[in-house]
Amino acid sequence: EFKASGWSKAEASLPEKLEPAYPVRVESAACKRYVSCVIRGVKVGPSPDWLREKLNVIGVRPINNVVDVTNYVLHGLGQPLHAFDAGQISGGQVVVRQAVQDERFVTLDGVERSLDAEDLMICDAEKPMCIAGVFGGENSGVSEDTTEVFLESAYFDSVFVRKSAKRHGLNTDASFRFERGTDPNLPVAALRYAVTLIQEVAGGQQVTEVSDIYPEPVQPFSFEVSYDRVRKLIGKNIPNEEIKTIILALGIGISSENNDLIQVSVPPFKVDVTREVDVIEEVLRIYGYNNVEIDGQLKSALQYAPVPDRELVSNQVFDLLVSNGYMEIMNNSLSHLDYAVDPETAVRILNPLSSDLDTMRQSLLFSVLETVEHNQKRKAADLKLFEFGKVYHLDEKGYRENQHLALALAGRQVQGLWNGQDQSASFYHLKAVVDGMLQRLGIDPLEIKEPTHAQWAYGLEYWHKNRLIVTFGAVSPKELMRADVQGAVFYASFDWDMVMKSIPRRPLVYQEISKFPAVRRDLALLLDNSVSFEQLKNIAKRTERKFLKELSVFDVYTGDKLPEGKKSYALSFILQDEEKTMDDKRIDAIVNKLIVNFEKETGARVRK
């Protein structure tokens, strides 16, 4: 593919006498090294097939042979380069400086941007040509008319590049690498490699000396490493010689050795190895995690588990949800400030990667709604989802994170067949799952309230011993509109920390199914509209603890046939004696006692 056979052809193609290096002036300390040269006589056009195929394979769109070479070298060596049309450089010199505040600059995408004084710019004698390490200008890039190329290979300060990219909302392949730190010793080699390739695919000839402005060479990171600390942190008795061999094989030099201590010299391209612990991590990576045994003492420590076991409980709940057709989703903990439940207590990111990911989420609701919207637009609108993740808040005590579990229903829950019709998701589909989960965890009794936050159209809150366990219901149309979701979405939010605190610590007790039949009795009551079913349920449980097994409402009626401010509940009672068959006398006594207490505490009247 590359027919130039290394550097020899590039050197052989140089003219007998090169012109002096192109004039370059560096005025900012943010440019630590600037390497450049000029290639004359290039013919810009499509790249050869081998180069186009290489770029297509890694998802880079071919542009022209010169630009394609810079991209090829970038992805091959990790060193960003930039090619300028030398004919567009005014004043015969290149100036690397910081921008003038509010200076105007049109980038390659045709957008006019207002520059900041902290932006590092590549300029000519009159105007900016490129945001250094980020994005080129509209009129300075290589085009079909270009015959002379000014080629740049530089080492820029990572902080300057990152702030400029964030400030202008530009995330390019070059900025991605500069932000994370490039090798300060690579620019010259990368430039020569690119020159060789350009001459191969676009013709032309290097006509100037290579300019290398490098006033303060970056020194290797130097610090001490202790053999004993390596062994202690890894947890394995690795011989000194083996540790030393691994360090040297990683390209890290050892300048001196004194018994247990060695002085290491880490090359600058290893930007993430600046401390002793970083070297230890590298040693462990090469030595092999699988070669570090877990001894018996550590094993016994791992056997400890809190009561209740958080992981065991989570797995039980997840199994319950999956068996009911729910699918687990996982979303980013970073969100947008507009999605914050309370912006005053939102945890903001100081240096966000983008404006859409500038806040730690305060609720799982909006990430779940985004998932619903994503699926709806891909013709997959029938959804049963759950997500287990953390939410974040800031209060007077500082930063706080809590584990939450979210459930969501949308679309159809039952798809109609020849013997039935479609059933859309409803509040009661969700309530059945919420009640089933709490019953499985043994959390009872519960106090029921109505949610007050505007994100709910309607719903319920379950409280246990003054702890809010779960809020569930229909998401308000306003929130659905913000997420561009079509149709109703029913959502439940569990505060998992409160759930864990509410799980009873008593052991499960099993008993045989009763041999004696249960009895059902129905009762219709005329009630004030203010009386809730929860009140009736609590009264019934206090009245008859032993034989009342279940209480439910099977009909609610309101209308003009009832007095104003009244409603009718039809209640069903399941009574059962575990030791013998109940007779009518005992059943009637229990029902009468229930009626008396209903009348006494709520003013209810039995409807005949």
Side-chain angles (χ1 to χ4, degrees):
E1 297 168 347
F2 175 47
K3 307 180 180 114
S5 66
W7 308 110
S8 58
K9 183 174 180 180
E11 297 294 341
S13 65
L14 295 177
E16 293 182 3
K17 185 177 181 182
L18 291 173
E19 299 174 11
Y22 198 90
V24 176
R25 189 170 74 250
V26 177
E27 298 179 351
S28 172
C31 178
K32 301 180 182 297
R33 187 174 192 180
Y34 196 86
V35 180
S36 62
C37 72
V38 173
I39 307 170
R40 191 173 296 154
V42 298
K43 185 177 181 181
V44 178
S47 296
D49 290 343
W50 70 265
L51 181 53
R52 294 170 61 87
E53 289 170 3
K54 286 287 187 182
L55 295 177
N56 282 324
V57 163
I58 61 174
V60 176
R61 180 176 62 88
I63 298 173
N64 60 53
N65 45 16
V66 175
V67 175
D68 291 349
V69 165
T70 63
N71 285 328
Y72 182 73
V73 174
L74 164 66
H75 289 279
L77 299 183
Q79 171 63 42
L81 300 100
H82 193 83
F84 298 89
D85 185 341
Q88 300 294 324
I89 301 177
S90 301
Q93 66 173 334
V94 171
V95 181
V96 184
R97 61 171 174 84
Q98 289 174 222
V100 177
Q101 185 66 38
D102 298 325
E103 187 175 5
R104 311 303 293 181
F105 177 60
V106 180
T107 47
L108 194 60
D109 55 2
V111 177
E112 186 180 50
R113 303 178 187 275
S114 177
L115 300 178
D116 187 272
E118 293 297 311
D119 289 330
L120 183 64
M121 305 298 296
I122 311 299
C123 310
D124 58 22
E126 300 176 359
K127 62 186 183 303
M129 298 190 297
C130 174
I131 303 177
V134 181
F135 212 39
E138 184 179 41
N139 299 317
S140 62
V142 173
S143 67
E144 293 181 357
D145 300 327
T146 300
T147 59
E148 188 174 345
V149 172
F150 176 84
L151 189 62
E152 162 197 292
S153 179
Y155 177 65
F156 299 123
D157 184 274
S158 59
V159 175
F160 268 76
V161 174
R162 179 181 58 79
K163 288 184 176 181
S164 290
K166 173 193 167 187
R167 190 179 296 118
H168 298 292
L170 295 170
N171 297 296
T172 61
D173 289 333
S175 69
F176 180 88
R177 282 155 181 81
F178 278 125
E179 288 175 30
R180 287 154 180 78
T182 57
D183 183 358
N185 296 323
L186 190 57
V188 172
L191 181 91
R192 294 190 183 278
Y193 185 31
V195 168
T196 303
L197 287 173
I198 289 173
Q199 292 177 158
E200 175 70 21
V201 301
Q205 193 175 58
Q206 178 185 336
V207 296
T208 67
E209 296 280 358
V210 173
S211 169
D212 185 6
I213 301 176
Y214 196 15
E216 296 182 10
V218 178
Q219 300 301 317
F221 306 111
S222 182
F223 48 87
E224 288 185 338
V225 174
S226 164
Y227 287 128
D228 283 342
R229 280 196 290 270
V230 173
R231 286 187 282 267
K232 183 177 180 181
L233 191 57
I234 292 178
K236 182 69 181 284
N237 188 22
I238 307 173
N240 289 3
E241 283 303 314
E242 187 168 0
I243 295 173
K244 183 177 179 180
T245 299
I246 292 174
I247 290 175
L248 291 173
L250 287 166
I252 300 173
I254 297 178
S255 55
S256 64
E257 185 173 2
N258 182 16
N259 296 326
D260 177 57
L261 294 176
I262 56 175
Q263 187 76 21
V264 299
S265 178
V266 182
F269 73 87
K270 289 182 174 289
V271 294
D272 57 344
V273 183
T274 58
R275 306 168 298 167
E276 180 186 49
V277 68
D278 298 327
V279 173
I280 296 173
E281 181 184 10
E282 291 287 278
V283 171
L284 176 57
R285 180 173 61 86
I286 300 302
Y287 182 77
Y289 293 91
N290 56 310
N291 293 322
V292 180
E293 300 86 358
I294 299 178
D295 59 29
Q297 182 179 3
L298 182 58
K299 184 176 180 181
S300 64
L302 290 175
Q303 289 177 340
Y304 167 76
V307 179
D309 188 321
R310 196 178 189 95
E311 184 174 352
L312 178 62
V313 171
S314 300
N315 288 336
Q316 289 174 345
V317 170
F318 294 169
D319 289 343
L320 174 65
L321 292 171
V322 171
S323 64
N324 280 276
Y326 282 74
M327 298 182 66
E328 184 176 11
I329 60 175
M330 299 179 69
N331 287 296
N332 198 335
S333 294
L334 297 175
S335 184
H336 195 283
L337 182 62
D338 289 345
Y339 284 161
V341 178
D342 179 9
E344 296 297 324
T345 62
V347 179
R348 303 294 305 278
I349 305 299
L350 294 178
N351 297 306
L353 295 175
S354 71
S355 59
D356 292 332
L357 300 173
D358 62 355
T359 305
M360 302 297 288
R361 63 184 177 186
Q362 290 188 313
S363 169
L364 302 183
L365 172 62
F366 299 103
S367 57
V368 170
L369 289 180
E370 286 181 346
T371 303
V372 172
E373 179 265 343
H374 181 85
N375 281 270
Q376 284 182 343
K377 290 184 176 178
R378 286 154 182 81
K379 307 299 181 183
D382 303 330
L383 300 169
K384 300 171 79 170
L385 307 173
F386 75 93
E387 180 176 8
F388 191 65
K390 291 182 178 181
V391 297
Y392 307 84
H393 296 82
L394 179 63
D395 56 25
E396 63 276 1
K397 296 181 180 180
Y399 296 106
R400 178 168 52 89
E401 63 179 38
N402 301 95
Q403 202 80 34
H404 276 219
L405 172 65
L407 311 182
L409 294 178
R412 296 174 297 177
Q413 297 304 292
V414 177
Q415 297 186 21
L417 299 174
W418 64 272
N419 60 345
Q421 297 180 343
D422 289 350
Q423 289 186 23
S424 298
S426 71
F427 170 79
Y428 296 100
H429 285 114
L430 183 62
K431 184 177 184 297
V433 175
V434 171
D435 290 347
M437 285 176 52
L438 296 179
Q439 184 179 6
R440 174 69 182 82
L441 297 175
I443 301 177
D444 189 66
L446 295 168
E447 181 184 358
I448 299 178
K449 300 180 182 179
E450 292 187 7
T452 57
H453 197 278
Q455 70 183 17
W456 303 98
Y458 58 87
L460 295 175
E461 292 179 349
Y462 283 175
W463 293 70
H464 181 266
K465 296 182 180 179
N466 295 321
R467 302 189 188 108
L468 177 58
I469 302 295
V470 58
T471 305
F472 63 98
V475 180
S476 73
K478 179 182 177 182
E479 306 297 353
L480 296 178
M481 186 179 300
R482 288 174 64 188
D484 198 21
V485 171
Q486 305 299 316
V489 174
F490 299 93
Y491 175 79
S493 177
F494 288 85
D495 187 328
W496 200 249
D497 295 325
M498 294 297 103
V499 170
M500 294 303 300
K501 291 179 181 178
S502 301
I503 295 176
R505 309 229 172 158
R506 59 180 182 271
L508 291 175
V509 178
Y510 297 91
Q511 64 183 36
E512 293 184 4
I513 297 175
S514 176
K515 300 177 182 179
F516 304 99
V519 178
R520 170 173 170 163
R521 287 292 185 269
D522 297 338
L523 191 63
L525 297 177
L526 184 66
L527 305 158
D528 290 336
N529 284 335
S530 60
V531 178
S532 67
F533 171 70
E534 186 68 17
Q535 290 176 267
L536 300 177
K537 185 177 179 180
N538 291 335
I539 293 170
K541 286 184 175 181
R542 291 198 305 270
T543 302
E544 182 52 63
R545 297 180 180 274
K546 184 176 181 180
F547 299 121
L548 181 61
K549 304 298 181 183
E550 186 178 336
L551 172 62
S552 61
V553 56
F554 64 89
D555 185 51
V556 177
Y557 173 73
T558 57
D560 53 7
K561 295 182 179 180
L562 297 179
E564 186 176 354
K566 298 289 185 179
K567 62 183 176 182
S568 174
Y569 273 2
L571 305 179
S572 173
F573 303 87
I574 304 297
L575 305 171
Q576 188 178 37
D577 190 335
E578 304 289 342
E579 299 176 354
K580 61 182 178 180
T581 301
M582 298 186 72
D583 54 30
D584 289 341
K585 182 177 180 181
R586 179 177 296 180
I587 294 170
D588 291 341
I590 294 173
V591 172
N592 288 332
K593 187 163 57 171
L594 287 169
I595 292 173
V596 169
N597 286 341
F598 286 149
E599 292 178 344
K600 180 180 178 181
E601 297 191 34
T602 68
R605 294 290 181 267
V606 177
R607 296 186 68 199
K608 303 297 185 180

